[in-house]
Amino acid sequence: MDRPGKIGPESRTLCLEEAPGCNRIDTNFTSANLNSVKFDVIKGEAMAGTSSRRAILPLLLAIFSSAVLTGCGEMGGQVLFSEIHGVLLDDGKPVSNTRLNRKWHWQNNDLRGVDTATTDPAGRFDFPAITGRSLLMAILPLEKLIRQSIAVVGAEGEQPIWEGVKRNYRSGGEIDLFNEQPPGVLYVRCDLQGRNRTNGSIAGPCEFVSRAALGL
């Protein structure tokens, strides 16, 4: 349908104007039939009536019930930023006693946050998982959208090493948008002189590694 239906100012007739080659349906509205509008099926024309609405109702209830059950399952914690253990390097050498700022923005309900970590003598740093709770966000068919960033704080300001968007509520879901069982904890090695790369939904000089690669 190219144009929406419009009601004539005098006849109160709903005119559905469709694309060339399609049928036009004129239905007169009166106070007696406003609650039960029915289009006769003539030459492929549409039909919408009380019976069709009743047939759709069980399907809508089933979909809503499934959404509520899924939402209740996620109420244990919607992971906005996964737990991260990493090491910060500068041309392969550990960067010690340096602060990192981690930020996130849950755009579905405009929830923002920031926390910090400081590297140890070996350049290692740790961030805990960040979780949110919202039944409404869990059951509504909305795109999941959490903007994430991690930056190194120096004398000249912040240098981003992690920029991306998380599109799920799974722990470790930053690596693979569509993997149903991603790793629950992320391990990364970030070199300030390294090349920028894209890993899953994350861009920056950090690369995902195994726990053993960090000596943990």
Side-chain angles (χ1 to χ4, degrees):
M1 184 182 298
D2 293 335
R3 287 176 289 178
K6 57 183 180 182
I7 297 179
E10 297 179 356
S11 64
R12 293 181 59 80
T13 296
L14 180 65
C15 301
L16 300 182
E17 298 178 4
E18 301 185 0
C22 296
N23 295 310
R24 192 188 72 175
I25 308 167
D26 292 343
T27 301
N28 292 318
F29 283 85
T30 66
S31 59
N33 66 12
L34 280 176
N35 294 327
S36 180
V37 180
K38 184 175 182 181
F39 299 133
D40 292 330
V41 180
I42 302 176
K43 297 180 181 180
E45 292 179 348
M47 179 176 181
T50 303
S51 61
S52 62
R53 290 197 296 271
R54 288 175 179 171
I56 293 174
L57 183 58
L59 177 61
L60 295 178
L61 289 175
I63 294 174
F64 180 76
S65 298
S66 176
V68 170
L69 290 175
T70 301
C72 290
E74 288 186 338
M75 280 302 290
Q78 293 147 311
V79 179
L80 309 181
F81 216 132
S82 300
E83 179 181 348
I84 300 177
H85 301 278
V87 60
L88 181 65
L89 307 172
D90 188 353
D91 199 18
K93 299 178 181 179
V95 179
S96 62
N97 196 31
T98 298
R99 192 179 75 179
L100 303 178
N101 282 348
R102 179 175 65 164
K103 300 177 183 179
W104 59 92
H105 179 198
W106 192 3
Q107 294 193 213
N108 299 87
N109 59 6
D110 200 27
L111 175 66
R112 301 170 185 266
V114 58
D115 61 356
T116 64
T118 302
T119 59
D120 66 10
R124 295 192 183 95
F125 61 89
D126 305 286
F127 283 110
I130 300 298
T131 59
R133 288 179 173 81
S134 172
L135 178 60
L136 187 62
M137 293 298 106
I139 65 175
L140 289 179
L142 300 175
E143 180 184 13
K144 303 173 179 67
L145 192 61
I146 307 104
R147 296 197 176 276
Q148 302 179 336
S149 68
I150 300 177
V152 177
V153 181
E156 299 180 357
E158 294 188 348
Q159 179 179 345
I161 59 173
W162 178 294
E163 295 280 350
V165 176
K166 193 171 187 289
R167 299 183 182 275
N168 57 66
Y169 295 137
R170 299 188 301 273
S171 180
E174 288 88 346
I175 290 182
D176 191 339
L177 300 179
F178 307 105
N179 188 351
E180 293 298 331
Q181 293 182 334
V185 179
L186 303 179
Y187 300 94
V188 296
R189 178 166 47 222
C190 308
D191 196 317
L192 297 176
Q193 303 303 320
R195 64 180 180 85
N196 285 327
R197 66 190 79 208
T198 300
N199 298 285
S201 61
I202 306 303
C206 296
E207 60 176 330
F208 293 102
V209 298
S210 67
R211 178 176 181 177
L214 297 182
L216 300 177

PDB file of all heavy atoms in Angstrom, residues 4-17 25-29:
ATOM      1  N   PRO A   4      -1.686   5.826   2.889  1.00  0.00           N
ATOM      2  CA  PRO A   4      -2.603   5.369   3.940  1.00  0.00           C
ATOM      3  C   PRO A   4      -4.040   5.684   3.590  1.00  0.00           C
ATOM      4  O   PRO A   4      -4.327   6.545   2.765  1.00  0.00           O
ATOM      5  CB  PRO A   4      -2.139   6.149   5.175  1.00  0.00           C
ATOM      6  CG  PRO A   4      -1.520   7.384   4.614  1.00  0.00           C
ATOM      7  CD  PRO A   4      -0.856   6.950   3.329  1.00  0.00           C
ATOM      8  N   GLY A   5      -4.989   4.976   4.258  1.00  0.00           N
ATOM      9  CA  GLY A   5      -6.399   5.240   4.049  1.00  0.00           C
ATOM     10  C   GLY A   5      -6.770   6.625   4.536  1.00  0.00           C
ATOM     11  O   GLY A   5      -6.139   7.183   5.416  1.00  0.00           O
ATOM     12  N   LYS A   6      -7.811   7.205   3.906  1.00  0.00           N
ATOM     13  CA  LYS A   6      -8.245   8.525   4.349  1.00  0.00           C
ATOM     14  C   LYS A   6      -9.763   8.549   4.389  1.00  0.00           C
ATOM     15  O   LYS A   6     -10.455   7.871   3.629  1.00  0.00           O
ATOM     16  CB  LYS A   6      -7.713   9.609   3.423  1.00  0.00           C
ATOM     17  CG  LYS A   6      -8.127   9.417   1.962  1.00  0.00           C
ATOM     18  CD  LYS A   6      -7.513  10.479   1.097  1.00  0.00           C
ATOM     19  CE  LYS A   6      -7.912  10.306  -0.378  1.00  0.00           C
ATOM     20  NZ  LYS A   6      -7.287  11.317  -1.237  1.00  0.00           N
ATOM     21  N   ILE A   7     -10.304   9.316   5.282  1.00  0.00           N
ATOM     22  CA  ILE A   7     -11.748   9.395   5.460  1.00  0.00           C
ATOM     23  C   ILE A   7     -12.270  10.660   4.807  1.00  0.00           C
ATOM     24  O   ILE A   7     -11.779  11.759   5.077  1.00  0.00           O
ATOM     25  CB  ILE A   7     -12.122   9.374   6.944  1.00  0.00           C
ATOM     26  CG1 ILE A   7     -11.685   8.041   7.563  1.00  0.00           C
ATOM     27  CG2 ILE A   7     -13.614   9.576   7.145  1.00  0.00           C
ATOM     28  CD1 ILE A   7     -11.984   7.945   9.028  1.00  0.00           C
ATOM     29  N   GLY A   8     -13.239  10.484   3.903  1.00  0.00           N
ATOM     30  CA  GLY A   8     -13.807  11.641   3.219  1.00  0.00           C
ATOM     31  C   GLY A   8     -14.533  12.545   4.185  1.00  0.00           C
ATOM     32  O   GLY A   8     -15.155  12.084   5.132  1.00  0.00           O
ATOM     33  N   PRO A   9     -14.490  13.876   3.971  1.00  0.00           N
ATOM     34  CA  PRO A   9     -15.081  14.812   4.935  1.00  0.00           C
ATOM     35  C   PRO A   9     -16.596  14.729   4.995  1.00  0.00           C
ATOM     36  O   PRO A   9     -17.197  15.124   5.992  1.00  0.00           O
ATOM     37  CB  PRO A   9     -14.614  16.183   4.425  1.00  0.00           C
ATOM     38  CG  PRO A   9     -14.357  15.963   2.965  1.00  0.00           C
ATOM     39  CD  PRO A   9     -13.857  14.543   2.850  1.00  0.00           C
ATOM     40  N   GLU A  10     -17.276  14.239   3.934  1.00  0.00           N
ATOM     41  CA  GLU A  10     -18.729  14.223   3.922  1.00  0.00           C
ATOM     42  C   GLU A  10     -19.295  12.809   4.043  1.00  0.00           C
ATOM     43  O   GLU A  10     -20.212  12.552   4.812  1.00  0.00           O
ATOM     44  CB  GLU A  10     -19.243  14.875   2.646  1.00  0.00           C
ATOM     45  CG  GLU A  10     -18.864  16.342   2.522  1.00  0.00           C
ATOM     46  CD  GLU A  10     -19.376  16.936   1.221  1.00  0.00           C
ATOM     47  OE1 GLU A  10     -19.948  16.187   0.408  1.00  0.00           O
ATOM     48  OE2 GLU A  10     -19.179  18.143   1.034  1.00  0.00           O
ATOM     49  N   SER A  11     -18.775  11.881   3.293  1.00  0.00           N
ATOM     50  CA  SER A  11     -19.364  10.545   3.261  1.00  0.00           C
ATOM     51  C   SER A  11     -18.900   9.649   4.390  1.00  0.00           C
ATOM     52  O   SER A  11     -19.486   8.609   4.622  1.00  0.00           O
ATOM     53  CB  SER A  11     -19.010   9.866   1.927  1.00  0.00           C
ATOM     54  OG  SER A  11     -17.601   9.678   1.835  1.00  0.00           O
ATOM     55  N   ARG A  12     -17.822  10.039   5.115  1.00  0.00           N
ATOM     56  CA  ARG A  12     -17.222   9.195   6.150  1.00  0.00           C
ATOM     57  C   ARG A  12     -16.939   7.806   5.600  1.00  0.00           C
ATOM     58  O   ARG A  12     -17.190   6.781   6.227  1.00  0.00           O
ATOM     59  CB  ARG A  12     -18.129   9.092   7.390  1.00  0.00           C
ATOM     60  CG  ARG A  12     -18.278  10.397   8.134  1.00  0.00           C
ATOM     61  CD  ARG A  12     -19.162  10.227   9.358  1.00  0.00           C
ATOM     62  NE  ARG A  12     -18.626   9.239  10.281  1.00  0.00           N
ATOM     63  CZ  ARG A  12     -17.651   9.466  11.140  1.00  0.00           C
ATOM     64  NH1 ARG A  12     -17.074  10.661  11.171  1.00  0.00           N
ATOM     65  NH2 ARG A  12     -17.244   8.520  11.971  1.00  0.00           N
ATOM     66  N   THR A  13     -16.436   7.763   4.386  1.00  0.00           N
ATOM     67  CA  THR A  13     -16.080   6.507   3.730  1.00  0.00           C
ATOM     68  C   THR A  13     -14.579   6.313   3.803  1.00  0.00           C
ATOM     69  O   THR A  13     -13.818   7.220   3.457  1.00  0.00           O
ATOM     70  CB  THR A  13     -16.513   6.514   2.252  1.00  0.00           C
ATOM     71  OG1 THR A  13     -17.925   6.596   2.213  1.00  0.00           O
ATOM     72  CG2 THR A  13     -16.066   5.252   1.542  1.00  0.00           C
ATOM     73  N   LEU A  14     -14.152   5.127   4.267  1.00  0.00           N
ATOM     74  CA  LEU A  14     -12.730   4.808   4.338  1.00  0.00           C
ATOM     75  C   LEU A  14     -12.271   4.400   2.955  1.00  0.00           C
ATOM     76  O   LEU A  14     -12.711   3.387   2.420  1.00  0.00           O
ATOM     77  CB  LEU A  14     -12.477   3.664   5.328  1.00  0.00           C
ATOM     78  CG  LEU A  14     -11.013   3.243   5.497  1.00  0.00           C
ATOM     79  CD1 LEU A  14     -10.220   4.375   6.123  1.00  0.00           C
ATOM     80  CD2 LEU A  14     -10.916   1.984   6.345  1.00  0.00           C
ATOM     81  N   CYS A  15     -11.416   5.181   2.350  1.00  0.00           N
ATOM     82  CA  CYS A  15     -10.929   4.886   1.007  1.00  0.00           C
ATOM     83  C   CYS A  15      -9.512   4.376   1.094  1.00  0.00           C
ATOM     84  O   CYS A  15      -8.602   5.113   1.482  1.00  0.00           O
ATOM     85  CB  CYS A  15     -10.956   6.143   0.134  1.00  0.00           C
ATOM     86  SG  CYS A  15     -12.609   6.863  -0.028  1.00  0.00           S
ATOM     87  N   LEU A  16      -9.310   3.126   0.765  1.00  0.00           N
ATOM     88  CA  LEU A  16      -7.975   2.557   0.748  1.00  0.00           C
ATOM     89  C   LEU A  16      -7.472   2.619  -0.682  1.00  0.00           C
ATOM     90  O   LEU A  16      -7.930   1.874  -1.544  1.00  0.00           O
ATOM     91  CB  LEU A  16      -7.995   1.110   1.231  1.00  0.00           C
ATOM     92  CG  LEU A  16      -8.521   0.900   2.661  1.00  0.00           C
ATOM     93  CD1 LEU A  16      -8.436  -0.561   3.031  1.00  0.00           C
ATOM     94  CD2 LEU A  16      -7.732   1.740   3.634  1.00  0.00           C
ATOM     95  N   GLU A  17      -6.564   3.511  -0.962  1.00  0.00           N
ATOM     96  CA  GLU A  17      -6.034   3.673  -2.312  1.00  0.00           C
ATOM     97  C   GLU A  17      -4.739   2.904  -2.411  1.00  0.00           C
ATOM     98  O   GLU A  17      -3.757   3.225  -1.764  1.00  0.00           O
ATOM     99  CB  GLU A  17      -5.820   5.146  -2.615  1.00  0.00           C
ATOM    100  CG  GLU A  17      -7.111   5.951  -2.566  1.00  0.00           C
ATOM    101  CD  GLU A  17      -6.865   7.425  -2.831  1.00  0.00           C
ATOM    102  OE1 GLU A  17      -5.712   7.777  -3.120  1.00  0.00           O
ATOM    103  OE2 GLU A  17      -7.815   8.195  -2.754  1.00  0.00           O
ATOM    104  N   ILE A  25     -11.142  -0.582  -1.844  1.00  0.00           N
ATOM    105  CA  ILE A  25     -12.192  -1.034  -0.942  1.00  0.00           C
ATOM    106  C   ILE A  25     -12.867   0.179  -0.326  1.00  0.00           C
ATOM    107  O   ILE A  25     -12.210   0.999   0.309  1.00  0.00           O
ATOM    108  CB  ILE A  25     -11.626  -1.928   0.171  1.00  0.00           C
ATOM    109  CG1 ILE A  25     -10.796  -3.054  -0.443  1.00  0.00           C
ATOM    110  CG2 ILE A  25     -12.732  -2.500   1.046  1.00  0.00           C
ATOM    111  CD1 ILE A  25      -9.970  -3.788   0.571  1.00  0.00           C
ATOM    112  N   ASP A  26     -14.191   0.317  -0.527  1.00  0.00           N
ATOM    113  CA  ASP A  26     -14.958   1.393   0.096  1.00  0.00           C
ATOM    114  C   ASP A  26     -15.891   0.780   1.120  1.00  0.00           C
ATOM    115  O   ASP A  26     -16.703  -0.087   0.789  1.00  0.00           O
ATOM    116  CB  ASP A  26     -15.778   2.164  -0.933  1.00  0.00           C
ATOM    117  CG  ASP A  26     -14.890   2.963  -1.874  1.00  0.00           C
ATOM    118  OD1 ASP A  26     -13.726   3.167  -1.520  1.00  0.00           O
ATOM    119  OD2 ASP A  26     -15.374   3.369  -2.956  1.00  0.00           O
ATOM    120  N   THR A  27     -15.794   1.231   2.367  1.00  0.00           N
ATOM    121  CA  THR A  27     -16.636   0.689   3.436  1.00  0.00           C
ATOM    122  C   THR A  27     -17.293   1.837   4.187  1.00  0.00           C
ATOM    123  O   THR A  27     -16.593   2.697   4.734  1.00  0.00           O
ATOM    124  CB  THR A  27     -15.794  -0.152   4.411  1.00  0.00           C
ATOM    125  OG1 THR A  27     -15.183  -1.210   3.672  1.00  0.00           O
ATOM    126  CG2 THR A  27     -16.668  -0.739   5.505  1.00  0.00           C
ATOM    127  N   ASN A  28     -18.606   1.884   4.206  1.00  0.00           N
ATOM    128  CA  ASN A  28     -19.333   2.936   4.917  1.00  0.00           C
ATOM    129  C   ASN A  28     -19.385   2.619   6.397  1.00  0.00           C
ATOM    130  O   ASN A  28     -19.736   1.514   6.789  1.00  0.00           O
ATOM    131  CB  ASN A  28     -20.756   3.072   4.367  1.00  0.00           C
ATOM    132  CG  ASN A  28     -20.760   3.623   2.948  1.00  0.00           C
ATOM    133  OD1 ASN A  28     -20.007   4.536   2.648  1.00  0.00           O
ATOM    134  ND2 ASN A  28     -21.594   3.053   2.088  1.00  0.00           N
ATOM    135  N   PHE A  29     -19.039   3.587   7.211  1.00  0.00           N
ATOM    136  CA  PHE A  29     -19.062   3.426   8.660  1.00  0.00           C
ATOM    137  C   PHE A  29     -20.354   4.025   9.216  1.00  0.00           C
ATOM    138  O   PHE A  29     -20.754   5.123   8.847  1.00  0.00           O
ATOM    139  CB  PHE A  29     -17.875   4.144   9.300  1.00  0.00           C
ATOM    140  CG  PHE A  29     -16.592   3.405   9.160  1.00  0.00           C
ATOM    141  CD1 PHE A  29     -15.815   3.539   8.023  1.00  0.00           C
ATOM    142  CD2 PHE A  29     -16.151   2.546  10.159  1.00  0.00           C
ATOM    143  CE1 PHE A  29     -14.638   2.851   7.895  1.00  0.00           C
ATOM    144  CE2 PHE A  29     -14.967   1.866  10.029  1.00  0.00           C
ATOM    145  CZ  PHE A  29     -14.210   2.017   8.893  1.00  0.00           C
TER     146      PHE A  29
END
